[in-house]
Amino acid sequence: PVNDRLTVWIAKGENSIRSVELHSLNGRKIDYGNLARKGSNIELSLRNLNAGIYIVSIVSQEGTKQYFKVVKQ
């Protein structure tokens, strides 16, 4: 579970990230606030979101998509 900040670790040698999006379970895109890149990590501020389950989608420069379920407390 996440409280205020979600950190996504990008493995060394992995593809560059083109975009990171946050969606509700019904598919609505959500503005999550700040996206910060810190070395090989990407941090999303989830402070202003209500508690619940969200889906994070990460798209690489090559177009590969990955989806992750996030539980916000």
Side-chain angles (χ1 to χ4, degrees):
V2 174
N3 287 318
D4 293 334
R5 215 177 283 147
L6 172 67
T7 301
V8 178
W9 178 73
I10 309 301
K12 190 172 188 173
E14 289 291 316
N15 300 331
S16 297
I17 301 301
R18 180 182 351 175
S19 67
V20 177
E21 293 183 349
L22 183 68
H23 298 268
S24 66
L25 285 181
N26 65 9
R28 184 175 59 93
K29 186 176 176 182
I30 297 173
D31 180 18
Y32 51 79
N34 297 327
L35 172 70
R37 209 170 245 260
K38 296 186 176 184
S40 61
N41 295 335
I42 295 175
E43 288 189 353
L44 287 81
S45 174
L46 305 180
R47 175 171 294 197
N48 296 325
L49 296 179
N50 293 327
I53 300 174
Y54 298 90
I55 303 297
V56 174
S57 64
I58 300 174
V59 181
S60 72
Q61 291 292 347
E62 289 77 20
T64 304
K65 296 180 182 180
Q66 294 180 307
Y67 300 92
F68 303 93
K69 180 172 69 172
V70 175
V71 177
K72 166 72 164 79
Q73 291 184 333

